[in-house]
Amino acid sequence: MAKNNLRIIYGDGTLGLSGKNFRYIFNYARGGLESLVINQREWLYREPLPTFWRATTDNDRGNGFSKKALQWLGADQFINVKDIAIQVNHQPISLPLPPQNNGYSNQEWAQEVKIIFTYQTLTIPSTYVTVSYQVDAGGELDVDVHYYGNSKLPELPVFGLRFLIPTTALWYEYDGLAGETYPDRMAGGKHGTYHISGLPVTPYLVPQDCGVHMQTTRLTIARNTVKNNIHTKIEPFYLSIINQKTPFAFSCLPYTAEELENATHQEELPPIRRTVLNIFGAVRGVGGIDSWGSDVEEAYHISAAKDIQFSFKIIGKNIN
């Protein structure tokens, strides 16, 4: 066994990376990170994918924004994988599909591996998003997300990367602004470290987007449940998201934007069974000048014409 190296498994339709206390699987057909196992605990229920939609707010409804941005709802649910590129120790390699992958042994090692997924949105016209994962021998993941602007598309509600986590969070803690904040609702948010128990959802009469936290530099999520029913009593385990170049925004809820969108009253929301983590590079303001037609102020729109890029690091431990 190579010490302090990253083991690579070139599967028929997957790329496996493993080391001390971690195992990651990238799926070519499904277009993303299929499994994120750290200290024998799985952190993914589905592959992380770009997200473009937020559940319609009262103010969005009042000014008709959701109807104007409707294409992004479809893009949020369906997307095409157009290309996959892999680099091993900074050197590009051909995508190792069968039978080429048979040329590799089961003892392949590297110091660093990078895999880049290029997605094409199912909008008219379409545009592209790249999500790259760079993994080092210690198991840290550097994630970079890039939306490529297209001036012919409508303004975006949000842009980010959505993670579906298999079970509900015990709590989450973050370094950023206090309370629920949006780009045009940050004045009252004091910088600090905040601990949130469970996955609270703002109890609006009509479910809508909520729980966004701006200007975040660190987020830690704790769980003490897994999908395996054999394990009934588990000590809390953790996943941390650390900003790279600039702070990020996030929401950590028990529902996707589509689940909130489809419920007209609180009792229509499905049973809580997982954690939906959205890491955002851009968030539209909420407005609130009135709820009967006034648009969000121009500074808080998200133009589809401009590129959006953000990055963060995933670490499988509690970072205080």
Side-chain angles (χ1 to χ4, degrees):
M1 177 178 177
K3 293 183 179 180
N4 302 318
N5 271 6
L6 185 64
R7 187 180 182 185
I8 310 173
I9 301 297
Y10 296 99
D12 285 350
T14 59
L15 181 74
L17 303 175
S18 64
K20 185 179 179 180
N21 299 323
F22 70 90
R23 176 178 56 81
Y24 309 149
I25 300 175
F26 297 89
N27 190 302
Y28 306 142
R30 295 180 64 87
L33 178 58
E34 178 182 68
S35 179
L36 177 65
V37 174
I38 300 172
N39 295 320
Q40 301 181 13
R41 305 300 187 207
E42 176 64 76
W43 278 94
L44 292 180
Y45 182 71
R46 292 285 186 270
E47 293 79 11
L49 289 173
T51 186
F52 309 94
W53 190 255
R54 74 173 183 202
T56 302
T57 67
D58 286 339
N59 294 310
D60 290 338
R61 194 171 291 109
N63 61 47
F65 171 71
S66 296
K67 294 179 180 179
K68 299 171 187 174
L70 185 61
Q71 287 198 68
W72 295 117
L73 174 59
D76 201 68
Q77 298 183 71
F78 304 99
I79 199 163
N80 281 338
V81 181
K82 292 298 291 183
D83 186 59
I84 303 170
I86 298 174
Q87 299 174 14
V88 177
N89 292 335
H90 305 287
Q91 297 299 314
I93 66 170
S94 298
L95 189 64
L97 296 172
Q100 287 86 356
N101 65 319
N102 293 328
Y104 295 96
S105 72
N106 66 349
Q107 294 294 319
E108 302 288 341
W109 306 88
Q111 284 293 319
E112 181 181 279
V113 174
K114 186 175 186 178
I115 182 167
I116 305 165
F117 294 92
T118 299
Y119 304 95
Q120 182 183 31
T121 63
L122 299 180
T123 51
I124 301 175
S126 64
T127 190
Y128 294 91
V129 174
T130 59
V131 179
S132 72
Y133 300 89
Q134 183 171 297
V135 184
D136 67 15
E140 290 189 2
L141 284 89
D142 289 334
V143 184
D144 185 83
V145 187
H146 190 151
Y147 162 87
Y148 290 86
N150 188 318
S151 61
K152 296 181 180 179
L153 287 168
E155 292 178 0
L156 289 143
V158 295
F159 174 66
L161 194 66
R162 179 177 57 229
F163 294 80
L164 298 184
I165 297 172
T167 59
T168 55
L170 180 65
W171 52 258
Y172 64 89
E173 183 179 273
Y174 68 96
D175 298 331
L177 297 178
E180 181 180 271
T181 51
Y182 284 81
D184 53 354
R185 291 291 181 274
M186 294 196 297
K190 182 179 179 181
H191 277 278
T193 298
Y194 301 97
H195 185 97
I196 310 296
S197 296
L199 295 169
V201 177
T202 308
Y204 295 115
L205 180 63
V206 178
Q208 55 195 275
D209 189 63
C210 61
V212 172
H213 302 278
M214 302 293 297
Q215 293 293 310
T216 305
T217 56
R218 189 267 310 179
L219 165 67
T220 296
I221 298 174
R223 293 163 55 212
N224 63 351
T225 56
V226 294
K227 296 290 285 183
N228 187 343
N229 293 328
I230 295 174
H231 302 290
T232 56
K233 294 183 179 180
I234 299 177
E235 291 296 317
F237 52 101
Y238 312 95
L239 191 76
S240 291
I241 309 293
I242 311 296
N243 74 304
Q244 290 281 63
K245 299 175 182 177
T246 58
F248 57 86
F250 80 94
S251 66
C252 194
L253 300 168
Y255 304 117
T256 65
E258 289 76 21
E259 287 171 330
L260 290 168
E261 189 75 61
N262 288 334
T264 58
H265 295 90
Q266 291 287 325
E267 65 270 17
E268 295 177 6
L269 289 168
I272 294 174
R273 58 189 184 275
R274 62 177 180 266
T275 302
V276 180
L277 170 64
N278 293 301
I279 306 296
F280 296 119
V283 178
R284 180 180 172 88
V286 291
I289 300 167
D290 57 49
S291 291
W292 300 275
S294 294
D295 199 357
V296 174
E297 293 183 0
E298 186 63 34
Y300 306 112
H301 292 212
I302 306 174
S303 170
K306 297 180 180 179
D307 284 23
I308 303 168
Q309 187 171 9
F310 65 100
S311 57
F312 55 92
K313 185 184 294 288
I314 299 177
I315 300 174
K317 58 184 177 181
N318 189 5
I319 304 295
N320 292 317

